[in-house]
Amino acid sequence: MAKPYMRQGEREDVVSPLQWMDGDTSSPDGDMPLSSHRYRTNGLNHQSREMGSEDVEEDEEDEEEGQEDENGPKRRGPKRKRMTKARQERFRARRVKANARERSRMHGLNDALENLRSIMPCHSKTQKLSKIETLRLARNYICALSEALEEGQSTESRAFMETLCKGLSQPTSNLVAGCLQLGQASGVGVRPEDRHGVRGPPAVLGGVGMGVGTLSYSSPGLPSPPYGTLDSAHLLHLRAMKGGVYENHSPNEYNGGGVGTPPYDDPPTPPLSISSNLVSKQEPSPHYLPPHHYSPSSMDQTATQGQVLYQTAGYDVRLEVPYDSYHPPHVPPRQITSVYRD
DNA sequence: TAGGCCATCTGGTCCT
DNA sequence: AGGACCAGATGGCCTA
């Protein structure tokens, strides 16, 4: 039975060592003695760590701890005192509270990660990106978009995809490549459960000649992973742009690119630098159902109909957004129509 | 079965 | 003092 704090998909498998206290020498499920290696940290049983320095200072009436373990090293510092019943209860209350806070904190972190997943260029309901892969892909996505703006590349270009997949594991690369393939094939081959995730028409990626099998980072033939969807809204179709301000960096400058999940210590992504107007290339979809991750605080709600002024890093970005199916402030940028500095 | 990923508990440290 | 953050440890689940 799930505990009140548990969320969907979470397990009840990990048992708090606190449940073993108060003289109960058996584990809650009755099959694990306290002397088990379970919940041992750095060779110290949690039971003994629980009587830390904090406990030493209180409860004058407490008895002093018995003799040191003759086999173990002599312990320095003030003598520890036994856990009285009252102290155990105080400790337990503190620990329970702290655990709840920590769970809540981690849930918040996971929620944020889930938000990040959902705005990734490929978002699959059936193949969820791991945490580390989500962060890598997000990093790559920012890089790829920066390069696309900087060098006037199309998001349909091979370079864009190469940057996107840099340092990703093989399955994730396959997922991304599969998403692109999906875009090219107009949904052919999508699993039914993923087809619902296709928001709007498939991304217009055809005509570029970028067959997935030609990409070095993907497996030839794509061993039929559960491909996700390529959200066309995330691929900002940018017209070629001249005059980028800072130096280009080719994907080859990065040291990722292997199979598996290699360490990723790329140089920091340079700041986005935009100096000329960008014109949208594709009409917005009338069927588009946007994700919901655009902060109201980052958008100027006084923008004219169909557009949102977006301020970032000293630039004003005018974004064309669909008003047909959704409303600000949760409308994501559909297309960049212009970018200028004030 | 090994390895990857995950949720959870925990004590330490830092900050308010 | 209490909370946030962090890293280590642990065991369960899943997959190749």
Side-chain angles (χ1 to χ4, degrees):
Chain A
M1 178 170 170
K3 294 188 173 67
Y5 55 77
M6 295 182 80
R7 306 200 306 185
Q8 192 175 12
E10 290 178 0
R11 301 182 308 267
E12 201 183 3
D13 47 19
V14 179
V15 179
S16 166
L18 286 171
Q19 298 176 29
W20 302 0
M21 295 175 66
D22 292 332
D24 184 4
T25 55
S26 63
S27 67
D29 46 10
D31 61 357
M32 185 82 70
L34 274 178
S35 58
S36 161
H37 67 283
R38 204 179 193 189
Y39 288 106
R40 288 177 81 92
T41 305
N42 296 332
L44 285 175
N45 190 306
H46 278 229
Q47 192 88 356
S48 60
R49 294 174 69 186
E50 283 155 4
M51 293 189 275
S53 58
E54 172 266 332
D55 292 314
V56 174
E57 304 153 2
E58 56 182 7
D59 290 356
E60 294 283 300
E61 71 278 13
D62 286 344
E63 309 165 29
E64 291 196 357
E65 201 175 32
Q67 294 292 322
E68 292 276 352
D69 182 2
E70 293 175 5
N71 297 328
K74 208 155 192 180
R75 185 181 159 277
R76 297 182 179 226
K79 290 180 180 175
R80 288 176 177 168
K81 298 183 179 178
R82 275 214 184 116
M83 280 284 239
T84 64
K85 200 95 176 173
R87 183 185 290 164
Q88 281 188 8
E89 285 171 8
R90 281 199 300 275
F91 177 84
R92 180 194 296 261
R94 265 206 320 273
R95 219 35 267 181
V96 166
K97 261 179 86 175
N99 290 347
R101 280 196 309 272
E102 180 65 9
R103 267 197 308 273
S104 169
R105 195 180 71 86
M106 295 310 294
H107 288 170
L109 195 60
N110 289 340
D111 286 346
L113 212 51
E114 191 55 46
N115 285 347
L116 188 58
R117 278 192 192 101
S118 68
I119 62 167
M120 285 297 100
C122 57
H123 184 224
S124 170
K125 289 180 180 177
T126 55
Q127 184 179 342
K128 189 176 163 186
L129 288 175
S130 71
K131 293 179 175 181
I132 184 70
E133 291 294 270
T134 300
L135 293 176
R136 285 179 177 141
L137 181 57
R139 191 262 188 210
N140 288 355
Y141 191 33
I142 293 170
C143 260
L145 287 174
S146 297
E147 288 175 1
L149 284 171
E150 198 58 42
E151 303 169 14
Q153 294 171 354
S154 166
T155 54
E156 304 159 13
S157 70
R158 179 193 176 99
F160 186 88
M161 272 303 303
E162 284 179 345
T163 304
L164 206 55
C165 291
K166 194 153 295 295
L168 300 181
S169 69
Q170 192 69 41
T172 308
S173 293
N174 287 346
L175 176 66
V176 174
C179 289
L180 280 188
Q181 191 178 46
L182 168 66
Q184 288 180 313
S186 298
V188 174
V190 192
R191 292 186 172 192
E193 62 268 32
D194 274 344
R195 198 183 296 277
H196 298 297
V198 179
R199 295 182 289 241
V204 183
L205 296 173
V208 182
M210 191 181 63
V212 172
T214 66
L215 300 175
S216 59
Y217 43 78
S218 65
S219 301
L222 285 175
S224 61
Y227 295 143
T229 61
L230 175 64
D231 192 336
S232 60
H234 296 310
L235 294 182
L236 306 176
H237 297 274
L238 309 174
R239 177 155 292 179
M241 178 189 81
K242 306 272 184 181
V245 180
Y246 68 61
E247 71 228 42
N248 303 332
H249 49 285
S250 77
N252 290 335
E253 288 177 32
Y254 301 121
N255 57 7
V259 292
T261 54
Y264 204 82
D265 51 354
D266 292 348
T269 306
L272 191 60
S273 173
I274 304 167
S275 60
S276 63
N277 288 345
L278 304 170
V279 182
S280 66
K281 188 179 174 183
Q282 185 188 11
E283 287 301 311
S285 160
H287 309 295
Y288 176 67
L289 287 175
H292 48 280
H293 305 295
Y294 291 85
S295 164
S297 62
S298 65
M299 291 188 173
D300 179 0
Q301 297 305 301
T302 64
T304 59
Q305 170 108 17
Q307 291 179 333
V308 168
L309 289 182
Y310 183 78
Q311 277 205 333
T312 176
Y315 295 95
D316 288 335
V317 181
R318 188 179 300 281
L319 304 164
E320 186 176 338
V321 297
Y323 270 40
D324 50 353
S325 59
Y326 218 68
H327 302 286
H330 300 299
V331 175
R334 174 62 182 168
Q335 291 154 338
I336 294 179
T337 57
S338 60
V339 179
Y340 52 91
R341 195 165 201 168
D342 46 17

